[in-house]
Amino acid sequence: MTTTAMLKNFWLTDELSWLKALTSPRAGAVCLCVVLLLEYAILPFILSIYTHKVDSNAVTLIALTILSVVALAIGTTFSFVDPWFDGRRPRLVLSSRTFSVPLWSIFVLYVFVAWFTAPQIPLVAALTGADPATIAMLRELFLKAREGWQAAFVYVNAILTGALIPYSLALMFVRGTRGRWLAIGFFLVYSLSFVEKAFFLKAMLPLLVLVAQGTIKTRLKAPKLLLIIVGLLFFITAASGSGSYEDITGASFFSVNYVPQGVVQHIVWRLIAIPFLTAIDTIRVFHEHFDAQFFWGATSSFVSRIFSMERIELERLVFEAQWGQNITGTGSSNAVYIMEAFVNFGWFGVFIFSFTIGLLMRLFAVSRDEAFRAQWPLFALNLYSAGLIGLLLSNGFILLFSMALFMRLRSGSSGSRKALPTQYDSLPGS
């Protein structure tokens, strides 16, 4: 067999053991730890050696990352959450219809209201030749920069599309619900309409997990689905005008002033350089603007309101320090969850946040709900570049985890039957 044939066989094999291993809920915590180490510890370490410069903020980031990975790994070994999935504990049992119909009714209504009240749909503007600056402004105006009663759109969007709609979509495919392809198609149209580059992954990543794990059988095999995901990412990046600016800065690739040329370069830069740079800039802003005084939860709108604290919009301050604020004043630079934990609660906060994440990642591994298990990449991806508090509260993951622990959705009408016990993967500490 030739090398080309071997590579083709490796890529197109029905089993795709490598993809199945990477998307397994059991591997979720390991994948997250490896990515955190590579991006926020090894990368800054290598750059320090290569440039012969020791940045104290980079050293802090490396140390915080190592601590977070250790704490996360420890959290995954605690098995006291496992008995919740042994099939013997009583749960609130609802029909999947009782859950999905109201949820999708609210979502569809919200989408059409958002479309019709928007100044202009960003994707339509992009396809009709709008320049990148206009597209970027329209993207901000679509949700973040709404005023009056429409300011609630950003919160409605987050709570619905953060975890609940992706879970409902996955549940439809697991149950073989009629209209599931129509539902995911509608979600993708909405996702692409405001040219948010990675938003469509909320629907596609859980579907990729279900297909790669063999949980559902479709004509759309995992390799083709993966290619579709990459293709959509290229399309939305190109539509947004990213990578179309002329490079007049000559800045380093690992600089916020770098101007990527072309779609591929832009995606790689945003995926690798920007998360690491934003984490370092967050530490820098924390020290220079706030004299390293911990915020005690003030970066969260929910926590600040509960305890009557002044909200500190750190993400916008970091964005302004990196690029200057945009015309709508809503530009934000979101950093890995480690930064939220550190600026609010210090080193101890990093340990507690990471330990908690380890416990939550274990829930994905031991749960018997395949639709819930398929959400682990979304949870991990958000942690890569956003805070834990907002992810749990604003993005609805606290509701999703509560459902996993205390509720069961079944086909048919509502009832009170217990779930039948089934086997689940064994883990360290089980």
Side-chain angles (χ1 to χ4, degrees):
M1 184 181 294
T2 65
T3 302
T4 302
M6 290 176 63
L7 290 173
K8 184 177 180 180
N9 185 61
F10 171 76
W11 173 250
L12 296 178
T13 177
D14 289 336
E15 294 182 1
L16 278 176
S17 57
W18 62 274
L19 188 55
K20 183 174 183 179
L22 284 177
T23 58
S24 170
R26 290 188 64 197
V30 175
C31 290
L32 180 57
C33 286
V34 170
V35 170
L36 290 176
L37 280 175
L38 288 174
E39 177 69 17
Y40 300 107
I42 295 176
L43 177 58
F45 177 75
I46 292 176
L47 288 177
S48 296
I49 294 176
Y50 179 77
T51 60
H52 303 289
K53 295 180 180 178
V54 178
D55 184 343
S56 60
N57 297 313
V59 173
T60 300
L61 176 61
I62 293 171
L64 289 171
T65 301
I66 293 173
L67 173 64
S68 68
V69 168
V70 171
L72 199 156
I74 293 173
T76 62
T77 65
F78 279 70
S79 60
F80 65 85
V81 298
D82 297 9
W84 286 98
F85 303 97
D86 62 8
R88 294 191 292 269
R89 292 178 182 265
R91 293 170 180 258
L92 174 64
V93 181
L94 296 176
S95 70
S96 55
R97 184 179 179 84
T98 302
F99 167 74
S100 295
V101 171
L103 177 66
W104 277 89
S105 298
I106 296 172
F107 178 63
V108 171
L109 176 63
Y110 153 73
V111 169
F112 280 105
V113 171
W115 278 340
F116 285 115
T117 57
Q120 189 175 357
I121 304 298
L123 181 61
V124 175
L127 296 178
T128 53
D131 60 87
T134 300
I135 297 170
M137 183 184 68
L138 289 174
R139 186 169 62 239
E140 295 294 312
L141 290 172
F142 188 81
L143 285 177
K144 290 182 181 180
R146 299 276 186 142
E147 297 179 347
W149 65 274
Q150 295 179 24
F153 284 4
V154 67
Y155 301 104
V156 175
N157 177 74
I159 197 71
L160 289 176
T161 64
L164 298 181
I165 289 294
Y167 171 72
S168 177
L169 282 171
L171 189 65
M172 289 181 184
F173 278 90
V174 171
R175 301 282 173 84
T177 304
R178 185 177 300 174
R180 58 192 181 277
W181 289 106
L182 178 63
I184 199 171
F186 179 79
F187 185 87
L188 288 177
V189 170
Y190 169 68
S191 302
L192 299 176
S193 69
F194 58 101
V195 200
E196 188 68 34
K197 297 180 185 67
F199 198 88
F200 72 94
L201 293 177
K202 294 175 182 290
M204 300 302 286
L205 283 183
L207 182 60
L208 178 63
V209 172
L210 294 175
V211 173
Q213 294 300 307
T215 304
I216 61 174
K217 302 295 183 182
T218 71
R219 294 180 179 179
L220 192 62
K221 300 301 181 182
K224 294 181 180 178
L225 184 57
L226 191 57
L227 288 175
I228 290 174
I229 291 174
V230 174
L232 285 174
L233 184 59
F234 271 70
F235 168 76
I236 203 67
T237 303
S240 68
S242 300
S244 60
Y245 292 98
E246 182 181 356
D247 185 7
I248 59 175
T249 65
S252 165
F253 180 83
F254 291 100
S255 166
V256 295
N257 296 318
Y258 178 74
V259 180
Q261 301 300 298
V263 173
V264 175
Q265 203 174 90
H266 180 85
I267 292 174
V268 174
W269 180 63
R270 294 292 304 188
L271 185 64
I272 297 177
I274 290 302
F276 139 73
L277 292 171
T278 300
I280 289 181
D281 287 336
T282 300
I283 298 175
R284 181 175 293 109
V285 170
F286 177 58
H287 282 281
E288 294 178 357
H289 290 254
F290 299 95
D291 198 26
Q293 298 297 310
F294 298 130
F295 301 144
W296 305 108
T299 58
S300 164
S301 58
F302 178 82
V303 175
S304 61
R305 288 172 185 170
I306 291 294
F307 294 99
S308 301
M309 297 185 293
E310 182 182 356
R311 170 76 190 282
I312 298 175
E313 296 183 327
L314 184 62
E315 296 89 350
R316 295 191 179 181
L317 293 174
V318 174
F319 183 92
E320 186 174 353
Q322 291 179 317
W323 291 290
Q325 193 50 265
N326 59 27
I327 191 172
T328 61
T330 55
S332 300
S333 291
N334 298 315
V336 62
Y337 82 90
I338 300 169
M339 294 299 98
E340 177 192 59
F342 177 64
V343 301
N344 281 290
F345 306 107
W347 295 81
F348 180 72
V350 173
F351 183 89
I352 294 300
F353 274 46
S354 300
F355 178 83
T356 302
I357 290 169
L359 292 176
L360 295 176
M361 292 299 293
R362 187 179 180 98
L363 293 184
F364 290 118
V366 301
S367 173
R368 298 173 298 136
D369 181 349
E370 295 296 342
F372 169 73
R373 285 162 60 87
Q375 305 307 309
W376 81 260
L378 293 185
F379 186 66
L381 182 62
N382 277 281
L383 293 171
Y384 180 72
S385 59
L388 177 63
I389 297 175
L391 181 59
L392 291 176
L393 300 179
S394 300
N395 284 34
F397 269 95
I398 190 69
L399 297 176
L400 187 63
F401 286 120
S402 298
M403 289 174 59
L405 291 171
F406 305 111
M407 186 182 295
R408 184 172 71 86
L409 299 178
R410 63 178 179 81
S411 302
S413 59
S414 299
S416 57
R417 296 185 301 176
K418 282 188 177 181
L420 294 175
T422 61
Q423 297 297 316
Y424 54 82
D425 296 325
S426 60
L427 295 168
S430 299

